[in-house]
Amino acid sequence: MLGFMDHVQNAFYAASHWNHDNSYSHLTATAQALLDFQTPRGLRLHLSSLSSPNFATSYSIGSVGVVDGSLSYLYSSLPLRAPSRSDEIDLHNLIRGYRHVEELRKPDEPWWWERWHGGKRIDRRDTVLYGRLFLPTSTLEALYLRRVSPTRQLKISCVSDSSLRNGGTILGLVQNDYGKYSSEYLYSTDSALLGVRGLYNFGPDPRYPSAEEAGTQSAERVNGRFSAGAELYYGILNKSGGMSTGLRFTTLPQHAGFPYTMTLTVNPLMGSLSSTYAVKAGRNVALCSRFDFNFYSYESELQLGCELWQRRKESAEVEWARRLVRKEWQQQQQQRIETAAAAAAAAADEDVTGVLKARVDQNWKIGVLWEGRVKELVFTLGASFDLKRREQIFRAVGVEVQYSS
């Protein structure tokens, strides 16, 4: 489950019209959400607040053998109007599940951001400042996020910790999103690492909608999107590099059938290949599988996962009234439901109360997680098991509680 500060940062992306899903780093986001979810350890409590549209705070305390905690503060120059109360936040914005890829949008025109007063430009670029202090280790995290232009974003992350080499590290990231394609350039002080990532989306270009529509008036509307990307890294100090490439095909909201996502990633230097397939098998069910194979060692791994969304039950009065509806009205209602099925699958549902996730691999390592809301509290309960270790089957058990105002 996303933390409150991550929820606020996503609200900043939405308010500033930045599509953080159009990136190579999010190519396998659906499979990671269904298979790589983290089970909590011990007991942890989070208290957060969006005290004003520009300022947010969060405090956490936990116990995993020793008592620890953290203090977080966030400032946004762009006022954020997103829901902040834990009983009002849509659970789809907090819980990582099957991700519906939306249609690409045309980037904002540069002159849309201009503000003039008295013949002078007074507009400023939207900025986010974030800091987090971990106790009792005194580890400090910081984030500087700035929208440089409608198609560019600057992100600088810092970590200060005495256990790290040189006492900390800094990561700088420049992101470009043109809709049709995106690129990222990064530099890290750890080993003087340089990197570049890119993603290209095949199909219509959102920047030139008129030309595309004129050439495809008689063609059927595209119901899916095929994307290809790659990344390349090189460490100047240790003189080592790395690279990977990936493909993804995913259905769009107007797809009439079951939404599904397929990905294939290859790391030629390490000889690893990973393929995933995820499908939204129903309104409340999503299934996912991942197969990893290494060409050098011939080792393979298989993982299976699923998620089941829970919804509120209808009251006895509503169920009684539904039975009294005429069959003709029921047929008309069913036709309306089928027509709007694709749009309803991607829309947020207000009757969602929680989601149950489970995964298992070929070594019989099992993870179970329940995330949901009870009254004004958001809970995360999870456990992991290793059925091959009979003397210690339980590997981790934990509970997290979040409250925000």
Side-chain angles (χ1 to χ4, degrees):
M1 179 176 291
L2 291 179
F4 182 78
M5 289 303 185
D6 295 324
H7 168 66
V8 174
Q9 291 183 32
N10 289 339
F12 174 82
Y13 291 140
S16 60
H17 300 163
W18 180 262
N19 183 11
H20 65 283
D21 287 332
N22 191 28
S23 169
Y24 181 77
S25 58
H26 290 82
L27 191 73
T28 58
T30 293
Q32 292 176 356
L34 297 177
L35 299 176
D36 297 334
F37 56 85
Q38 297 293 329
T39 55
R41 293 176 176 268
L43 177 63
R44 186 164 296 275
L45 174 64
H46 303 271
L47 300 176
S48 310
S49 174
L50 186 63
S51 55
S52 70
N54 303 89
F55 191 73
T57 58
S58 180
Y59 311 96
S60 67
I61 184 172
S63 176
V64 187
V66 296
V67 178
D68 60 355
S70 65
L71 309 175
S72 305
Y73 299 92
L74 183 144
Y75 168 78
S76 171
S77 62
L78 178 65
L80 305 177
R81 307 296 180 182
S84 60
R85 294 176 56 90
S86 53
D87 59 341
E88 297 178 352
I89 300 177
D90 185 3
L91 289 181
H92 290 83
N93 296 331
L94 291 180
I95 299 175
R96 294 173 175 172
Y98 184 92
R99 302 180 70 90
H100 295 273
V101 177
E102 301 296 335
E103 288 278 7
L104 297 175
R105 63 180 299 272
K106 180 181 179 180
D108 295 343
E109 297 292 344
W111 57 269
W112 291 0
W113 288 27
E114 296 180 3
R115 295 181 182 178
W116 296 82
H117 180 73
K120 296 182 179 180
R121 288 189 59 177
I122 60 173
D123 52 281
R124 296 182 178 180
R125 297 296 178 253
D126 299 325
T127 306
V128 167
L129 300 176
Y130 169 73
R132 185 177 186 182
L133 177 64
F134 293 87
L135 299 173
T137 59
S138 298
T139 301
L140 180 64
E141 290 182 353
L143 171 67
Y144 175 80
L145 183 63
R146 184 178 180 86
R147 289 299 310 276
V148 181
S149 69
T151 59
R152 181 166 298 173
Q153 179 174 269
L154 173 64
K155 187 176 183 180
I156 301 177
S157 305
C158 309
V159 177
S160 176
D161 192 342
S162 58
S163 61
L164 298 176
R165 185 172 56 182
N166 299 325
T169 181
I170 300 176
L171 173 64
L173 183 65
V174 177
Q175 299 173 299
N176 301 302
D177 183 8
Y178 300 96
K180 180 71 172 180
Y181 62 93
S182 65
S183 61
E184 301 177 61
Y185 308 92
L186 63 89
Y187 173 78
S188 175
T189 58
D190 187 12
S191 302
L193 182 67
L194 294 172
V196 58
R197 289 192 292 236
L199 181 70
Y200 182 83
N201 300 300
F202 294 87
D205 193 335
R207 296 173 296 175
Y208 312 106
S210 58
E212 292 292 340
E213 292 174 359
T216 59
Q217 288 181 353
S218 60
E220 295 183 358
R221 190 176 182 184
V222 178
N223 295 324
R225 181 187 305 152
F226 183 74
S227 305
E231 61 181 353
L232 178 65
Y233 298 96
Y234 181 76
I236 299 177
L237 298 182
N238 54 21
K239 295 181 175 58
S240 63
M243 66 171 298
S244 71
T245 182
L247 304 173
R248 180 186 66 187
F249 179 82
T250 182
T251 56
L252 296 177
Q254 63 266 21
H255 179 65
F258 292 122
Y260 62 91
T261 301
M262 299 182 294
T263 65
L264 176 65
T265 56
V266 179
N267 188 330
L269 298 181
M270 303 300 295
S272 62
L273 179 147
S274 178
S275 62
T276 68
Y277 178 76
V279 59
K280 188 78 171 178
R283 185 188 180 194
N284 304 322
V285 181
L287 307 173
C288 183
S289 63
R290 178 168 60 196
F291 178 75
D292 298 330
F293 180 77
N294 191 281
F295 293 101
Y296 300 147
S297 63
Y298 297 103
E299 293 182 352
S300 62
E301 183 178 359
L302 176 65
Q303 281 186 304
L304 303 175
C306 67
E307 66 175 7
L308 176 63
W309 289 85
Q310 299 173 327
R311 304 178 185 274
R312 298 188 185 94
K313 294 183 179 180
E314 293 183 345
S315 61
E317 293 80 3
V318 175
E319 183 65 24
W320 174 78
R322 186 184 297 275
R323 294 177 181 177
L324 296 180
V325 176
R326 295 180 180 179
K327 294 183 178 180
E328 296 81 2
W329 296 352
Q330 292 180 356
Q331 294 176 357
Q332 295 177 0
Q333 184 181 13
Q334 183 65 23
Q335 292 177 356
R336 298 191 190 99
I337 293 176
E338 293 177 356
T339 303
D349 297 317
E350 297 180 355
D351 59 344
V352 171
T353 60
V355 59
L356 178 65
K357 294 183 179 182
R359 67 165 181 260
V360 61
D361 61 11
Q362 63 185 20
N363 297 319
W364 290 104
K365 294 181 179 180
I366 301 175
V368 181
L369 187 72
W370 182 83
E371 299 172 306
R373 178 164 46 212
V374 179
K375 300 296 182 179
E376 296 184 355
L377 300 178
V378 179
F379 287 86
T380 301
L381 296 83
S384 58
F385 312 91
D386 190 348
L387 299 185
K388 287 190 175 182
R389 299 180 60 181
R390 299 300 178 88
E391 68 281 359
Q392 189 178 0
I393 295 180
F394 288 92
R395 301 181 60 191
V397 179
V399 178
E400 288 190 9
V401 182
Q402 295 188 32
Y403 174 80
S404 59
S405 61

